[in-house]
Amino acid sequence: MSDILLSPPVMSTDPFPHFAVSSAFGAEASEKVLRWLETSAPWKLKVAEFYEQYEFSVLDCELPAEVQAVFNDENLAKLRRRLEQMFGTQLSNRQDVAAHKLVQGQRIRIHNDYIPGQETHRVLVQLNRGWQDEFGGILLFFGSDDSRDIRKAFRPAHDSSVAFQISPSSHHAVTPIAGGERFTLVLSFYEQHD
């Protein structure tokens, strides 16, 4: 694989700066990563105030040979440059990559992830073969911290991606999982500060 975010992005500032693409990794690479997540990834349950999910750090584990190229330094640097261009910012070399899995009954309640001096931009890559709307797991963007103020909804379609700027107003959530397992890669980036 030579790039991440293969299809042209659609940029928006409503309700906060973000863009979406329909193809993040491409068919072959996304299938390899999903197969790994489904079979031998090192999942650990994490319970927090506003969510319960399985997760692990992709950069802190031993990657199978067939997925190493997806997460190599060159691809992450290309993605960082693309984010800088799309969001009009300069990002540091610091980055994190985590994998998240939600199963039936789990959800992520409304929150904004804003912590001063921490992550400023996030890329979510959905890896969900055959996902059906009745399974839930819809990513929601809100115009405020009011859960009724839904502005955007993104289906967790396989190989799709949403990137957004994290700020005090970047309120988002994931609806409850009613069926299946919802896999997401979370790539985190940090603004450069002089």
Side-chain angles (χ1 to χ4, degrees):
M1 189 192 74
S2 60
D3 206 353
I4 297 176
L5 305 182
L6 299 176
S7 63
V10 177
M11 191 76 186
S12 176
T13 57
D14 180 28
F16 46 84
H18 70 278
F19 68 82
V21 298
S22 58
S23 180
F25 293 160
E28 184 178 344
S30 63
E31 180 62 29
K32 287 178 181 177
V33 175
L34 178 55
R35 197 174 312 120
W36 169 55
L37 296 177
E38 291 174 326
T39 58
S40 60
W43 296 107
K44 292 184 179 162
L45 179 64
K46 175 151 185 197
V47 179
E49 183 180 337
F50 59 89
Y51 70 89
E52 175 182 310
Q53 68 186 9
Y54 292 89
E55 62 183 45
F56 67 95
S57 170
V58 172
L59 299 182
D60 292 339
C61 71
E62 188 171 334
L63 297 174
E66 62 269 17
V67 302
Q68 287 176 1
V70 175
F71 304 106
N72 67 27
D73 290 341
E74 180 184 353
N75 276 337
L76 293 175
K78 284 181 184 177
L79 177 58
R80 185 171 59 250
R81 288 192 297 272
R82 188 129 184 225
L83 293 175
E84 287 175 335
Q85 179 186 34
M86 295 298 297
F87 289 102
T89 190
Q90 186 172 5
L91 300 173
S92 73
N93 290 333
R94 180 180 177 194
Q95 58 210 9
D96 297 309
V97 182
H100 293 174
K101 175 173 71 168
L102 294 171
V103 299
Q104 189 166 349
Q106 294 180 332
R107 65 184 295 179
I108 300 175
R109 289 175 176 78
I110 188 169
H111 66 290
N112 65 17
D113 287 316
Y114 178 72
I115 301 171
Q118 294 300 310
E119 176 188 11
T120 58
H121 294 79
R122 177 176 293 174
V123 178
L124 304 174
V125 178
Q126 301 296 330
L127 297 167
N128 301 299
R129 185 187 309 105
W131 194 262
Q132 300 172 33
D133 287 345
E134 57 265 28
F135 291 170
I138 306 297
L139 172 65
L140 301 176
F141 282 1
F142 301 88
S144 67
D145 61 1
D146 182 343
S147 62
R148 297 168 297 183
D149 190 11
I150 299 170
R151 300 290 181 87
K152 296 272 177 82
F154 301 92
R155 296 177 67 244
H158 182 62
D159 196 37
S160 67
S161 180
V162 176
F164 61 97
Q165 183 175 331
I166 292 176
S167 72
S169 63
S170 61
H171 297 287
H172 58 285
V174 175
T175 64
I177 306 300
E181 295 180 324
R182 182 186 187 272
F183 296 98
T184 306
L185 292 175
V186 180
L187 298 95
S188 301
F189 296 87
Y190 303 77
E191 277 185 349
Q192 180 72 58
H193 296 289
D194 296 327

